[in-house]
């Protein structure tokens, strides 16, 4: 699949997808409500594996429950068995030659078309699947399944164009130096999470954009929305075999992939525990591989808001409410530890914070009045309530919330825990739910607290500093240099936007390869330097050899 290169093409200018507000009576709200009604009438859906462009029904079915109504399920999906995974790997490798040889402008056009399909034709269906299957309200679905996924595809094209343009700045007389950015030798395994449909698209999409072939194992709790993303990529023109869609039991599917000699890279978002295990398993297999696999991962966080005595209280309150409780605290970047200066806490922050949280409505995402929906499933529900109980047992005070109701859906009330122990369990361990723990510090202990914040958690994903005193911002930024990969001043610690805030953290939070930036794409290419000489030698000896 080759074509003549008859021009040097520039991709269209890209910008972030405009966000729709879904106000009462708006056309977008009517369209989304209609998509939700239609989907609820049609469900449950059946989702096959897709290998080499063909549907594979293994007969081994699993269900994706609706977390706000767990008696129903959004879809049943066929779990990939060993033969299906083997066929997916071999099919991807067979598709590799033609895909990596496809001219760059054609690959770019495919992903630009995918962006248009996401933002237009399939916007509301993708959002409806994300709301029903993953428990997001309309706004959270909009910024994820519609806007961020579109941005990943559009900006990805821009970033790869920038990557390919990085060429040697110098050529010796009579020669020409070039660098080509080859896809990796082998296949990429993409393991995507439940909490962002956009990440489901980016994990296989980014490696494929630079010419790789990908075996994609979606999260069981996001199967249907991810299946729609796969179908969109196919409609946009991604050839059969380039991305293989293999839902199934994570340990078995992943193990079979990383045991293959052509395994070239892991692109992962999920838990720290699983990521560390996969890293060890890959290391143990290193003698099997043709090369050294790339490992790219974004995992957990124990993200903080630090409220200085100079902070503007109202802004800090509202930003903290959003950061802690949007999408039920199930964002990698969600706020879970809150440090507040005592003068601010007693000067209005506490009362305003609890008053605003008391206004939060919790319920099914189809009801647009609900700010919070369900947590993703039974294990999450039990784990989150278990952490609340641990906090109580350790002497923590529940200021609001602390309860859950699983009679119909997995709903947990927004919870604030006040602790006098900054090393308490809910200040250190990731909960991944609507729980934030507050520690009130004395105003004159600010710099001592910074040292403490830096050492409290193994994670280093996001953090926010609220202060109007510029010296406090400078001091905190310096002393917390390695405590977060994304730092915000007077803004919430969630909501990184593609093209604006490259996202990722270090320490136990991942490899910090910065999704939403050009940095990520370097991890899925292997550069080759080419020197072409135009003038032949007349003698093998150098001038220094002559006497």
């Amino acid at each position: 699949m080759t074509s003549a290169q008859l021009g040097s093409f520039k991709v269209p200018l890209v910008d972030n997808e405009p966000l729709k507000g879904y106000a009462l009576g708006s056309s977008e709200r009517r369209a989304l409500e209609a998509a939700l009604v239609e989907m609820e009438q049609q469900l449950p859906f059946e989702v096959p594996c897709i290998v080499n462009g063909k549907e594979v029904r293994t007969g081994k079915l699993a269900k994706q429950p609706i977390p706000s109504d767990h008696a129903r399920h959004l879809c049943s999906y066929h779990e990939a068995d060993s033969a299906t995974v083997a066929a997916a790997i071999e099919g991807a490798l067979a598709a590799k030659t033609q895909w990596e040889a496809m001219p760059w402008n054609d690959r770019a056009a495919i992903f630009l078309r995918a962006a248009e399909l996401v933002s237009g034709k399939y916007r509301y269906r993708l959002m409806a699947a994300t709301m029903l299957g993953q428990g997001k309200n309309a706004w959270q679905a909009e910024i994820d399944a519609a806007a961020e996924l579109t941005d990943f595809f559009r900006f990805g094209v821009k970033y790869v164009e920038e990557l390919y343009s990085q060429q040697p700045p110098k050529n010796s007389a009579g020669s020409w130096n070039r660098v080509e950015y080859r896809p990796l030798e082998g296949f990429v395994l993409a393991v995507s999470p439940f909490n962002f449909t956009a990440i489901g698209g980016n994990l296989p999409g980014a490696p494929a954009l630079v010419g790789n072939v990908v075996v994609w194992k979606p999260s069981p709790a996001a199967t249907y929305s991810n299946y729609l993303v796969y179908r969109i990529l196919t409609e946009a023109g991604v050839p059969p075999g380039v991305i293989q869609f293999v839902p199934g039991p994570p340990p078995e599917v992943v193990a079979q992939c990383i045991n293959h000699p052509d395994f070239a890279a892991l692109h992962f978002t999920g838990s720290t525990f699983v990521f560390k295990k996969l890293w060890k398993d890959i290391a143990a297999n290193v003698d099997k591989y043709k090369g050294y696999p790339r490992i790219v991962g974004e995992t957990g966080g124990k993200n903080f808001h630090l409220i200085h005595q100079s902070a503007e209280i109202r802004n800090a309150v509202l930003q903290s409410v959003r950061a802690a409780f949007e999408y039920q605290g199930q964002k990698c970047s969600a706020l879970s530890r809150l440090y507040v200066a005592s003068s601010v806490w007693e000067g209005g922050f506490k009362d305003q914070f609890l008053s605003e949280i008391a206004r939060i409505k919790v319920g099914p995402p189809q009801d647009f009045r609900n700010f919070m929906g369900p947590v993703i499933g039974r294990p999450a529900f039990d784990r989150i309530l278990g952490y609340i109980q641990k906090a109580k047992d350790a002497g923590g005070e529940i200021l609001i919330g602390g309860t859950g109701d699983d009679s119909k859906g997995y709903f947990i009330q927004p919870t604030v825990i006040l602790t006098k122990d900054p090393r308490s369990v809910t200040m250190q361990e990731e909960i991944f739910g609507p729980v934030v723990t507050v520690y009130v510090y004395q105003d004159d202990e600010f710099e001592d607290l910074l040292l403490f914040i830096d050492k409290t958690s193994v994670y280093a994903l996001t953090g926010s500093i609220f202060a109007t005193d510029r010296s406090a911002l400078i001091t905190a930024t310096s002393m917390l240099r390695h405590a977060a990969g994304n730092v915000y001043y007077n803004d919430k610690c969630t909501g990184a936007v593609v093209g604006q805030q490259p996202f990722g953290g270090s320490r136990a939070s991942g490899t910090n390869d910065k999704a939403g930036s050009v940095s990520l794409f370097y991890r899925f290419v292997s550069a080759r330097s080419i020197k072409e000489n135009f003038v032949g030698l007349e003698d093998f000896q150098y001038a220094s050899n002559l006497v």
Side-chain angles (χ1 to χ4, degrees):
M1 187 187 299
T2 59
S3 68
Q5 299 293 296
L6 302 177
S8 180
F9 307 112
K10 286 190 68 65
V11 302
L13 292 176
V14 299
D15 201 350
N16 294 111
E17 173 65 15
L19 297 173
K20 298 182 184 296
Y22 300 90
L24 184 63
S26 64
S27 60
E28 63 263 27
R29 181 183 283 206
R30 288 193 297 271
L32 180 55
E33 288 174 332
L36 285 164
V37 169
E38 180 182 45
M39 189 165 286
E40 291 204 76
Q41 290 172 343
Q42 294 173 344
L43 63 79
F45 303 94
E46 182 182 351
V47 175
C49 305
I50 309 288
V51 175
N52 302 328
K54 294 181 170 55
E55 296 184 353
V56 177
R57 289 174 167 80
T58 63
K60 185 181 179 185
L61 292 171
K63 295 179 179 180
Q64 181 189 350
I66 296 174
S68 60
D69 187 2
H70 48 63
R72 299 189 297 158
H73 60 283
L74 180 58
C75 72
S76 295
Y77 59 93
H78 290 261
E79 293 190 310
D81 54 21
S82 177
T84 303
V85 175
I89 294 171
E90 296 311 311
L93 294 172
K96 183 173 178 60
T97 300
Q98 284 196 326
W99 178 242
E100 70 176 52
M102 180 183 284
W104 158 238
N105 58 282
D106 293 297
R107 268 189 280 124
I110 288 171
F111 279 86
L112 291 174
R113 174 162 166 72
E116 295 303 317
L117 292 172
V118 170
S119 62
K121 180 178 178 180
Y122 294 106
R123 187 186 202 104
Y124 301 115
R125 187 163 184 83
L126 263 178
M127 289 179 63
T130 301
M131 292 170 72
L132 292 173
Q134 291 140 264
K136 294 198 170 186
N137 67 20
W139 178 252
Q140 296 302 313
E142 165 72 10
I143 63 176
D144 168 21
E148 186 171 46
L149 181 55
T150 298
D151 289 348
F152 273 138
F153 290 161
R154 285 185 183 145
F155 279 86
V157 170
K158 169 186 165 57
Y159 290 138
V160 175
E161 181 182 59
E162 290 179 6
L163 169 66
Y164 287 167
S165 71
Q166 298 302 306
Q167 295 296 319
K170 181 71 176 175
N171 296 287
S172 299
S175 67
W176 184 16
N177 299 312
R178 309 188 286 277
V179 174
E180 62 179 17
Y181 296 90
R182 304 168 297 176
L184 303 178
E185 190 176 13
F187 71 94
V188 176
L189 170 63
V191 181
S192 57
F194 78 85
N195 59 336
F196 278 90
T197 301
I199 297 177
N202 194 49
L203 263 57
L209 187 54
V210 288
N212 290 287
V213 291
V214 185
V215 176
W216 176 16
K217 197 218 77 63
S219 167
T223 299
Y224 188 63
S225 67
N226 286 192
Y227 174 68
L228 294 179
V229 173
Y230 175 86
R231 286 298 191 190
I232 288 168
L233 289 168
T234 299
E235 184 173 333
V238 174
V242 170
I243 297 176
Q244 310 277 44
F245 186 76
V246 287
E252 290 86 344
V253 173
V254 171
Q256 189 171 348
C257 290
I258 66 175
N259 282 326
H260 196 283
D262 287 299
F263 170 70
L266 172 66
H267 200 190
F268 176 91
T269 297
S271 78
T272 302
F273 174 81
V274 171
F275 188 56
K276 285 183 176 181
K277 181 183 185 305
L278 293 180
W279 197 299
K280 293 173 186 175
D281 292 343
I282 292 167
N285 287 339
V286 71
D287 290 333
K288 294 182 180 180
Y289 304 136
K290 293 180 179 177
Y292 296 102
R294 309 286 178 88
I295 302 175
V296 178
E298 193 265 300
T299 62
K302 194 65 186 172
N303 311 296
F304 63 86
H305 278 192
L306 172 58
I307 317 299
H308 184 258
Q309 61 180 320
S310 69
E312 197 280 298
I313 293 177
R314 185 64 178 164
N315 179 57
V317 165
L318 296 177
Q319 299 283 4
S320 297
V321 171
R322 282 186 171 179
F325 302 118
E326 285 183 329
Y327 192 38
Q328 300 78 261
Q330 296 176 122
K331 299 182 181 183
C332 305
S333 57
L335 169 65
S336 59
R337 48 185 175 132
L338 177 58
Y339 301 91
V340 186
S342 58
S343 62
V344 174
W345 182 252
E346 298 300 337
F349 187 102
K350 175 184 177 182
D351 292 341
Q352 291 186 43
F353 191 47
L354 298 180
S355 175
E356 294 299 333
I357 293 170
R359 295 173 54 208
I360 292 176
K361 290 181 169 55
V362 181
Q366 303 95 305
D367 184 341
F368 282 52
R369 295 171 297 179
N370 292 324
F371 185 82
M372 280 175 49
V375 298
I376 195 63
R378 166 65 61 189
F381 182 86
D382 291 343
R383 183 189 67 250
I384 295 163
L385 290 182
Y387 269 107
I388 293 172
Q389 187 59 51
K390 285 181 184 179
K392 289 180 183 177
D393 294 344
E397 180 185 356
I398 307 299
L399 299 183
I400 194 169
T403 60
D405 181 356
D406 61 352
S407 58
K408 184 173 183 180
Y410 299 110
F411 298 105
I412 294 178
Q413 293 298 313
T415 299
V416 178
I417 301 167
L418 180 64
T419 184
K420 294 182 179 179
D421 178 8
R423 292 191 185 278
S424 63
V425 64
T426 57
M427 288 294 272
Q428 295 193 67
E429 297 183 17
E430 185 179 39
I431 301 171
F432 220 64
V435 180
V436 62
T437 303
V438 179
Y439 176 72
V440 179
Y441 68 95
Q442 296 303 308
D443 291 19
D444 60 1
E445 296 175 350
F446 181 67
E447 292 196 18
D448 292 337
L449 180 72
L450 295 175
L451 295 172
F452 205 87
I453 292 172
D454 187 45
K455 292 178 168 56
T456 295
S457 172
V458 298
Y459 298 103
L461 189 52
T462 73
S464 295
I465 307 160
F466 289 84
T468 58
D469 180 345
R470 177 58 58 172
S471 65
L473 291 174
I474 294 170
T475 299
T477 303
S478 177
M479 294 181 68
L480 297 175
R481 187 176 308 281
H482 297 288
N486 281 56
V487 175
Y488 302 84
Y489 295 165
N490 299 308
D491 203 349
K492 60 186 174 68
C493 61
T494 62
V497 177
V498 176
Q500 298 189 38
Q501 299 95 29
F503 185 76
S506 56
R507 295 182 179 169
S509 291
T511 55
N512 200 19
D513 288 299
K514 293 301 186 194
S517 77
V518 70
S519 301
L520 179 69
F521 293 94
Y522 279 96
R523 298 305 311 278
F524 297 108
V525 295
S526 177
R528 179 166 73 167
S529 295
I530 299 171
K531 177 187 176 183
E532 183 170 0
N533 181 48
F534 300 129
V535 181
L537 290 175
E538 296 181 357
D539 191 353
F540 75 88
Q541 295 192 92
Y542 296 95
S544 60
N545 298 128
L546 303 178
V547 294

